[in-house]
Coordinates of all heavy atoms in Angstrom, one line a residue:
H1 N 228.3 -70.9 189.5 CA 228.2 -70.4 190.8 C 229.1 -69.2 191.0 O 230.2 -69.1 190.5 CB 228.6 -71.5 191.9 CG 228.5 -71.0 193.3 ND1 227.3 -70.6 193.8 CD2 229.4 -70.8 194.2 CE1 227.5 -70.3 195.1 NE2 228.8 -70.4 195.4
S2 N 228.6 -68.1 191.6 CA 229.2 -66.8 191.7 C 230.5 -66.8 192.6 O 231.3 -65.9 192.5 CB 228.3 -65.7 192.1 OG 227.8 -66.0 193.4
G3 N 230.7 -67.8 193.4 CA 231.8 -67.7 194.3 C 233.1 -68.1 193.7 O 233.8 -69.0 194.3
I4 N 233.4 -67.6 192.5 CA 234.7 -68.0 191.9 C 235.4 -66.7 191.4 O 235.9 -66.7 190.3 CB 234.4 -68.9 190.7 CG1 233.3 -68.3 189.7 CG2 234.0 -70.3 191.1 CD1 233.2 -69.1 188.5
S5 N 235.5 -65.7 192.3 CA 236.1 -64.5 191.9 C 237.7 -64.7 192.0 O 238.2 -65.8 192.3 CB 235.7 -63.4 192.9 OG 236.3 -63.7 194.2
D6 N 238.4 -63.6 191.7 CA 239.9 -63.7 191.7 C 240.4 -64.0 193.0 O 241.6 -64.4 193.1 CB 240.4 -62.4 191.1 CG 240.2 -62.2 189.7 OD1 239.8 -63.2 189.0 OD2 240.4 -61.1 189.2
H7 N 239.6 -63.8 194.1 CA 240.1 -64.0 195.4 C 240.0 -65.4 195.9 O 240.6 -65.8 196.9 CB 239.4 -63.1 196.4 CG 239.5 -61.6 196.1 ND1 238.8 -61.0 195.1 CD2 240.2 -60.7 196.7 CE1 239.1 -59.7 195.1 NE2 239.9 -59.5 196.1
V8 N 239.4 -66.3 195.1 CA 239.2 -67.7 195.5 C 240.5 -68.4 195.5 O 241.4 -68.1 194.7 CB 238.2 -68.3 194.6 CG1 238.1 -69.8 194.8 CG2 236.8 -67.7 194.8
A9 N 240.7 -69.4 196.4 CA 241.9 -70.1 196.5 C 242.2 -70.8 195.2 O 241.4 -71.3 194.4 CB 241.8 -71.2 197.6
C10 N 243.5 -70.7 194.8 CA 243.9 -71.2 193.5 C 245.3 -71.8 193.6 O 246.2 -71.4 194.4 CB 243.9 -70.1 192.5 SG 244.4 -70.5 190.8
Q11 N 245.6 -72.8 192.8 CA 246.9 -73.4 192.7 C 247.3 -73.6 191.2 O 246.4 -73.4 190.4 CB 246.9 -74.8 193.4 CG 245.9 -75.8 192.7 CD 245.7 -77.0 193.5 OE1 246.0 -77.1 194.7 NE2 245.0 -78.0 193.0
I12 N 248.5 -73.8 190.9 CA 249.0 -74.0 189.6 C 249.1 -75.5 189.3 O 250.0 -76.2 190.0 CB 250.3 -73.3 189.3 CG1 250.0 -71.8 189.4 CG2 250.8 -73.6 187.8 CD1 251.3 -70.9 189.2
S13 N 248.4 -76.1 188.4 CA 248.4 -77.5 188.2 C 248.9 -77.8 186.8 O 249.1 -76.9 186.0 CB 246.9 -78.1 188.3 OG 246.5 -77.9 189.6
S14 N 249.2 -79.1 186.5 CA 249.8 -79.4 185.2 C 249.4 -80.8 184.8 O 248.9 -81.6 185.6 CB 251.3 -79.4 185.3 OG 251.8 -80.4 186.2
M15 N 249.5 -81.1 183.5 CA 249.3 -82.4 182.9 C 250.3 -82.5 181.7 O 250.7 -81.5 181.2 CB 247.9 -82.6 182.4 CG 246.8 -82.6 183.4 SD 245.2 -82.9 182.6 CE 244.1 -82.8 184.0
I16 N 250.6 -83.7 181.3 CA 251.5 -83.9 180.2 C 250.8 -84.7 179.1 O 250.1 -85.7 179.4 CB 252.8 -84.6 180.7 CG1 253.6 -83.7 181.6 CG2 253.7 -85.1 179.5 CD1 254.9 -84.4 182.1
S17 N 251.0 -84.3 177.9 CA 250.5 -85.1 176.7 C 251.7 -85.6 176.0 O 252.7 -85.0 175.8 CB 249.7 -84.1 175.8 OG 249.3 -84.8 174.6
T18 N 251.5 -86.9 175.5 CA 252.6 -87.5 174.7 C 252.1 -87.8 173.3 O 252.8 -88.5 172.5 CB 253.0 -88.9 175.4 OG1 251.9 -89.7 175.5 CG2 253.6 -88.6 176.7
D19 N 250.9 -87.3 173.0 CA 250.3 -87.5 171.6 C 249.8 -86.2 171.0 O 248.8 -86.2 170.4 CB 249.2 -88.6 171.7 CG 248.1 -88.2 172.7 OD1 248.1 -87.1 173.2 OD2 247.2 -89.0 172.9
Q20 N 250.6 -85.2 171.1 CA 250.3 -83.9 170.5 C 249.0 -83.3 171.0 O 248.3 -82.6 170.2 CB 250.3 -84.0 169.0 CG 251.6 -84.5 168.4 CD 251.6 -84.6 166.9 OE1 250.6 -84.7 166.3 NE2 252.8 -84.5 166.3
G21 N 248.7 -83.5 172.2 CA 247.5 -82.8 172.8 C 246.2 -83.5 172.7 O 245.2 -83.0 173.1
R22 N 246.2 -84.8 172.1 CA 245.0 -85.5 172.0 C 244.5 -86.1 173.3 O 243.3 -86.4 173.5 CB 245.1 -86.6 170.9 CG 245.2 -86.0 169.5 CD 245.5 -87.0 168.5 NE 245.4 -86.5 167.1 CZ 246.3 -85.8 166.5 NH1 247.5 -85.6 167.1 NH2 246.2 -85.3 165.3
S23 N 245.4 -86.4 174.2 CA 245.1 -86.9 175.5 C 246.1 -86.3 176.5 O 247.2 -86.0 176.1 CB 245.0 -88.4 175.6 OG 246.3 -88.9 175.3
W24 N 245.7 -86.3 177.8 CA 246.5 -85.7 178.8 C 246.6 -86.7 180.0 O 245.7 -87.3 180.4 CB 246.0 -84.4 179.3 CG 246.0 -83.4 178.2 CD1 245.0 -83.1 177.2 CD2 247.1 -82.5 177.8 NE1 245.4 -82.2 176.3 CE2 246.7 -81.8 176.7 CE3 248.4 -82.3 178.3 CZ2 247.5 -80.8 176.1 CZ3 249.2 -81.3 177.7 CH2 248.7 -80.6 176.6
G25 N 247.8 -86.8 180.6 CA 248.1 -87.7 181.6 C 247.7 -87.3 183.0 O 246.8 -86.5 183.2
E26 N 248.4 -87.8 184.0 CA 248.0 -87.6 185.4 C 248.1 -86.1 185.8 O 249.0 -85.4 185.4 CB 249.0 -88.4 186.3 CG 248.7 -88.3 187.7 CD 249.7 -89.1 188.6 OE1 250.6 -89.8 187.9 OE2 249.6 -89.1 189.8
H27 N 247.1 -85.7 186.6 CA 247.0 -84.4 187.1 C 248.1 -84.2 188.2 O 248.2 -85.1 189.1 CB 245.6 -84.1 187.7 CG 245.5 -82.9 188.4 ND1 245.9 -82.7 189.8 CD2 244.9 -81.7 188.1 CE1 245.6 -81.5 190.2 NE2 245.1 -80.8 189.2
R28 N 248.8 -83.1 188.2 CA 249.9 -82.8 189.2 C 249.8 -81.4 189.6 O 249.6 -80.5 188.7 CB 251.2 -83.1 188.6 CG 252.4 -82.8 189.4 CD 253.7 -82.9 188.7 NE 254.9 -82.5 189.4 CZ 256.1 -82.3 188.9 NH1 256.3 -82.5 187.6 NH2 257.1 -81.9 189.7
V29 N 249.9 -81.1 190.9 CA 250.0 -79.7 191.3 C 251.4 -79.3 191.2 O 252.3 -79.7 191.9 CB 249.5 -79.6 192.8 CG1 249.6 -78.1 193.3 CG2 248.0 -80.0 192.9
L30 N 251.7 -78.3 190.3 CA 253.0 -77.9 190.0 C 253.5 -76.9 191.1 O 254.6 -76.9 191.5 CB 253.1 -77.3 188.6 CG 254.5 -76.9 188.1 CD1 255.4 -78.2 188.1 CD2 254.4 -76.3 186.7
Q31 N 252.6 -76.0 191.5 CA 252.9 -75.0 192.5 C 251.7 -74.9 193.5 O 250.7 -74.4 193.2 CB 253.1 -73.6 191.9 CG 253.4 -72.5 193.0 CD 254.5 -72.9 193.9 OE1 255.6 -73.3 193.5 NE2 254.3 -72.9 195.2
P32 N 251.9 -75.5 194.7 CA 250.8 -75.4 195.7 C 250.6 -74.0 196.2 O 251.4 -73.1 196.0 CB 251.3 -76.3 196.9 CG 252.4 -77.1 196.3 CD 253.0 -76.3 195.2
N33 N 249.4 -73.7 196.8 CA 249.1 -72.4 197.3 C 249.7 -72.2 198.7 O 249.2 -72.8 199.6 CB 247.6 -72.2 197.3 CG 247.2 -70.8 197.8 OD1 248.0 -69.9 197.9 ND2 245.9 -70.7 198.1
R34 N 250.7 -71.4 198.8 CA 251.3 -71.2 200.1 C 251.0 -69.8 200.6 O 251.6 -69.3 201.6 CB 252.8 -71.3 200.0 CG 253.3 -72.7 199.6 CD 254.8 -72.8 199.4 NE 255.3 -74.1 199.0 CZ 256.5 -74.4 198.7 NH1 257.4 -73.4 198.7 NH2 256.9 -75.6 198.4
W35 N 250.1 -69.1 200.0 CA 249.7 -67.7 200.3 C 248.4 -67.6 201.0 O 247.6 -68.6 201.0 CB 249.8 -66.9 199.0 CG 251.2 -66.8 198.5 CD1 252.1 -65.7 198.7 CD2 251.9 -67.7 197.7 NE1 253.3 -66.0 198.1 CE2 253.2 -67.2 197.5 CE3 251.6 -68.9 197.1 CZ2 254.1 -67.9 196.7 CZ3 252.5 -69.6 196.4 CH2 253.8 -69.1 196.2
K36 N 248.1 -66.5 201.5 CA 246.8 -66.3 202.2 C 245.6 -66.3 201.2 O 244.5 -66.7 201.7 CB 246.8 -64.9 202.9 CG 247.8 -64.9 204.1 CD 247.8 -63.5 204.7 CE 248.9 -63.5 205.8 NZ 248.9 -62.1 206.5
Q37 N 245.8 -66.0 200.0 CA 244.7 -66.1 199.0 C 245.0 -67.1 197.9 O 244.4 -68.2 197.9 CB 244.4 -64.7 198.4 CG 243.8 -63.7 199.4 CD 243.3 -62.5 198.8 OE1 243.4 -62.2 197.6 NE2 242.6 -61.7 199.7
N38 N 245.9 -66.9 197.0 CA 246.2 -67.8 195.9 C 247.5 -67.6 195.2 O 248.2 -66.7 195.5 CB 245.0 -67.9 195.0 CG 244.7 -66.5 194.4 OD1 245.7 -65.8 194.0 ND2 243.5 -66.1 194.2
V39 N 247.7 -68.5 194.3 CA 248.9 -68.4 193.4 C 248.4 -68.6 192.0 O 247.6 -69.5 191.7 CB 250.0 -69.3 193.8 CG1 249.6 -70.8 193.8 CG2 251.2 -69.2 192.9
K40 N 248.9 -67.8 191.0 CA 248.4 -68.0 189.6 C 249.4 -67.3 188.7 O 250.6 -67.0 189.0 CB 247.1 -67.3 189.4 CG 247.0 -65.9 189.8 CD 245.6 -65.3 189.6 CE 244.6 -65.7 190.6 NZ 243.3 -65.1 190.5
H41 N 249.1 -67.2 187.4 CA 249.9 -66.6 186.3 C 251.2 -67.3 186.1 O 252.3 -66.8 186.2 CB 250.2 -65.1 186.7 CG 249.0 -64.3 186.9 ND1 249.1 -63.1 187.6 CD2 247.7 -64.5 186.6 CE1 247.9 -62.6 187.8 NE2 247.0 -63.4 187.1
P42 N 251.1 -68.6 185.6 CA 252.3 -69.4 185.3 C 253.0 -68.9 184.1 O 252.4 -68.6 183.1 CB 251.8 -70.8 185.2 CG 250.4 -70.6 184.7 CD 249.9 -69.4 185.4
N43 N 254.3 -68.8 184.1 CA 255.2 -68.5 183.0 C 256.4 -69.4 182.9 O 257.1 -69.5 183.9 CB 255.6 -67.1 183.0 CG 254.6 -66.1 182.4 OD1 254.6 -65.9 181.2 ND2 253.8 -65.5 183.3
L44 N 256.5 -70.2 181.8 CA 257.7 -71.1 181.7 C 258.5 -70.6 180.5 O 258.1 -70.3 179.5 CB 257.1 -72.5 181.4 CG 256.4 -73.2 182.5 CD1 255.6 -74.4 182.0 CD2 257.3 -73.6 183.7
I45 N 259.8 -70.6 180.8 CA 260.8 -70.2 179.8 C 262.0 -71.2 179.8 O 262.5 -71.5 180.8 CB 261.4 -68.7 180.1 CG1 260.3 -67.7 179.9 CG2 262.6 -68.4 179.3 CD1 260.0 -67.4 178.4

């Protein structure tokens, strides 16, 4: 569906794997969208 442009609402979500990426656990929203459009581009250091 075409309604998925860069302006569409977005949040930063996360999952954790304990078996080297073969399975992933519970879905969690790491950074909710608090802006008028969206939030993206996660960087972890």
Side-chain angles (χ1 to χ4, degrees):
H1 181 63
S2 60
I4 51 174
S5 69
D6 288 349
H7 300 76
V8 171
C10 180
Q11 60 196 11
I12 297 177
S13 297
S14 67
M15 294 181 185
I16 291 179
S17 173
T18 57
D19 56 6
Q20 299 182 337
R22 288 175 173 80
S23 64
W24 296 89
E26 182 181 358
H27 173 280
R28 174 188 175 193
V29 177
L30 189 60
Q31 177 55 51
N33 181 14
R34 299 177 179 175
W35 293 263
K36 294 178 181 178
Q37 292 193 353
N38 56 42
V39 57
K40 58 179 73 175
H41 304 160
N43 275 275
L44 294 167
I45 289 289

